[in-house]
Amino acid sequence: MLTRLQSIPHASRLANWGRLLSVTVSGQIAVQAIGFLCGIMVIRLLSIEQYALYTLANTMLGTMGSLADSGVTTGVISQGGKVWEDRGRLGAVLSTGMALRRKFAAICIIFSIPILVMLFQKHGATWWESSAMIVAIIPAFLIALSTKLLEVAPKLHQCITPIQKTQVGSGLIRFVLTTLFLLALPIGALAVLATGLSQLFCNWRYRKLSGRYVDHNTSEDPVVRSEILRIVKRSLPGTFYIAFLGQLNIWLISFFGTTDAVAQIGALGRLVLVIAVIQSVFSILIVPRFSRLPLESNLVAQRFIQVQALLWICGGSLVGAVSLFPNQLLWVLGSDYAGLNTELILMAVVCGITLVRFGIQSLNSARGYVLNPWVFMPLNLGIMTMAYSLFPPVDVYNALCASVIGTLFGPLIHSVNFLVHYRAERLQHSLDAVPA
């Protein structure tokens, strides 16, 4: 029987992908299950006012992380994919990326903290609550700063099992710390601090793991720096735009809506964390392999089409599952969030489309196909302006309806970007191959 299976074309490749998927998916299910339980516990233990502050803090952490990156991770993956088998050169790529992120992080802290304090005060936080949140946010941000870069080398070398163990361990530490902190004192700042402290373990493990493939003592490479900065300069306007657009509903509701609405939209997002499993599997398995595909073959275009079709199936399945069980899912959140059935389904639609957009954008980034921000931003801004004109973001329902309209165009825009850059790269490769 085994001999017959082995004789089937591509059987060994299918078996290898099956093994990788089973390990990765099972690991990510464990990670996200722990994160889901932790998130539900935070919702249940915090008052709706404290959870609103926690939602604002988490949103700002995500925005700060995006701005501090500004395309650096994209540049590191793109450059690292070219030298992934050379320990010294990969170390130079990583060192260069780390240096750039530290500089961007300092700028982010200076500009982000005053805005966050203003929002805390608007939603009824006392000065000591605002101060406690800031004290928790800054170390959490700094600790998480290196995580994405430290995991580049293990991902390029497909160290799936160690990555999964690290993420599960970090999740368990977060769960334990969150439980202890919030049972002792149920305030949002302690939940943020627990998340940051759990990342210490993650960074320690990633640094140890990447040491097998990277020389951490390698100094910065000016050539790599210029290549990464080229991607950063092209990505920077779009990064600023997307960093705020990605959480636009929360930002707009925090300015124009109520504290309850901020908590509600944050809590609904917790129930569709299944896309985080798919995104994590995608980032670990698909993106590094796509980065390594040779340009000489047609595999790049073929894999792009195949992966996009799979993403649409996953997004549609998510919406279908949520539509079948909205009451049961809302029961998990507690009585403060009952009756948000329509809003939950709309959230699932937004997350399904966002999953597809995330996948296409990640594939583009892996090849260094950065979308021209001066094309993307005016186009998307016009779409979002129209959407929020139709549905003013004064409550959760309106904000989510506007998001559905706004996100629909993302996959199309990024697919066109892939086609343009892929054809240009193929043409340039053909010209370079012609003898002088």
Side-chain angles (χ1 to χ4, degrees):
M1 182 67 178
L2 181 61
T3 304
R4 290 175 61 188
L5 287 173
Q6 289 175 339
S7 65
I8 299 174
H10 308 300
S12 60
R13 182 179 298 175
L14 289 173
N16 184 51
W17 268 102
R19 180 182 61 81
L20 286 173
L21 281 172
S22 63
V23 171
T24 307
V25 171
S26 60
Q28 285 306 307
I29 288 175
V31 170
Q32 298 304 327
I34 296 169
F36 177 77
L37 291 174
C38 192
I40 296 302
M41 183 173 57
V42 172
I43 294 172
R44 290 276 192 167
L45 291 178
L46 293 180
S47 65
I48 196 166
E49 294 80 11
Q50 280 294 319
Y51 190 73
L53 299 180
Y54 173 78
T55 298
L56 288 174
N58 260 351
T59 303
M60 182 58 84
L61 271 175
T63 301
M64 290 170 67
S66 297
L67 295 178
D69 183 77
S70 294
V72 172
T73 301
T74 298
V76 169
I77 292 175
S78 178
Q79 295 299 307
K82 300 174 183 177
V83 297
W84 66 284
E85 294 180 297
D86 189 317
R87 190 169 182 268
R89 294 176 68 187
L90 187 56
V93 171
L94 190 61
S95 297
T96 305
M98 288 286 192
L100 289 173
R101 288 203 73 176
R102 283 193 292 268
K103 294 176 181 178
F104 293 154
I107 299 171
C108 284
I109 291 175
I110 292 171
F111 287 99
S112 300
I113 298 304
I115 298 173
L116 196 53
V117 171
M118 180 192 68
L119 289 174
F120 286 154
Q121 294 297 303
K122 181 182 182 298
H123 288 279
T126 63
W127 278 107
W128 80 264
E129 287 174 330
S130 298
S131 300
M133 275 291 191
I134 299 304
V135 169
I137 286 171
I138 291 177
F141 169 63
L142 294 175
I143 291 168
L145 193 62
S146 304
T147 303
K148 283 188 177 181
L149 292 181
L150 287 174
E151 67 184 10
V152 168
K155 282 183 178 180
L156 285 173
H157 286 266
Q158 293 290 275
C159 302
I160 306 301
T161 301
I163 290 175
Q164 302 287 18
K165 289 180 178 179
T166 300
Q167 293 177 346
V168 170
S170 178
L172 288 172
I173 292 171
R174 181 193 170 198
F175 182 80
V176 171
L177 290 177
T178 302
T179 303
L180 294 175
F181 287 173
L182 295 189
L183 287 177
L185 184 62
I187 60 173
L190 289 180
V192 174
L193 183 61
T195 301
L197 292 177
S198 67
Q199 286 293 114
L200 284 173
F201 170 79
C202 208
N203 285 2
W204 171 72
R205 283 285 299 159
Y206 279 146
R207 181 172 289 277
K208 185 177 180 181
L209 182 60
S210 63
R212 304 175 189 174
Y213 313 107
V214 172
D215 183 359
H216 287 296
N217 295 319
T218 308
S219 58
E220 297 179 47
D221 186 327
V223 175
V224 171
R225 180 186 175 87
S226 64
E227 286 297 313
I228 293 177
L229 283 176
R230 180 182 62 82
I231 293 177
V232 167
K233 289 175 182 177
R234 192 172 177 84
S235 303
L236 194 58
T239 299
F240 271 84
Y241 185 69
I242 294 172
F244 291 100
L245 187 68
Q247 299 293 342
L248 188 59
N249 279 336
I250 292 178
W251 292 127
L252 290 177
I253 288 179
S254 67
F255 281 105
F256 302 111
T258 64
T259 301
D260 285 2
V262 174
Q264 286 170 356
I265 198 166
L268 287 175
R270 290 286 174 179
L271 289 180
V272 286
L273 277 179
V274 66
I275 71 163
V277 177
I278 302 172
Q279 288 176 337
S280 296
V281 171
F282 194 85
S283 297
I284 293 171
L285 282 184
I286 307 298
V287 173
R289 289 170 178 266
F290 193 75
S291 172
R292 288 157 40 183
L293 287 176
L295 187 63
E296 291 82 1
S297 68
N298 293 320
L299 275 177
V300 175
Q302 291 174 9
R303 293 292 184 264
F304 180 83
I305 295 171
Q306 292 167 352
V307 170
Q308 185 173 169
L310 182 60
L311 288 169
W312 278 112
I313 292 172
C314 291
S317 300
L318 171 65
V319 176
V322 171
S323 300
L324 289 174
F325 307 105
N327 290 321
Q328 292 82 349
L329 291 170
L330 288 171
W331 174 83
V332 175
L333 298 180
S335 59
D336 288 333
Y337 306 94
L340 298 173
N341 298 50
T342 303
E343 289 83 352
L344 178 60
I345 295 171
L346 286 172
M347 177 67 82
V349 173
V350 171
C351 289
I353 300 172
T354 300
L355 172 64
V356 179
R357 192 269 309 158
F358 164 84
I360 300 172
Q361 187 177 6
S362 297
L363 294 181
N364 282 336
S365 296
R367 304 294 302 188
Y369 299 164
V370 179
L371 180 61
N372 188 334
W374 302 115
V375 173
F376 170 71
M377 288 194 301
L379 178 61
N380 207 43
L381 186 59
I383 295 169
M384 295 306 298
T385 301
M386 177 194 69
Y388 283 111
S389 297
L390 294 172
F391 298 96
V394 293
D395 56 30
V396 176
Y397 176 81
N398 274 16
L400 290 174
C401 285
S403 289
V404 171
I405 296 173
T407 55
L408 273 173
F409 294 89
L412 175 62
I413 293 171
H414 288 287
S415 294
V416 172
N417 177 62
F418 170 83
L419 179 62
V420 171
H421 281 87
Y422 174 67
R423 292 183 64 180
E425 189 178 30
R426 290 273 294 184
L427 178 61
Q428 184 61 48
H429 182 76
S430 299
L431 293 174
D432 291 343
V434 176

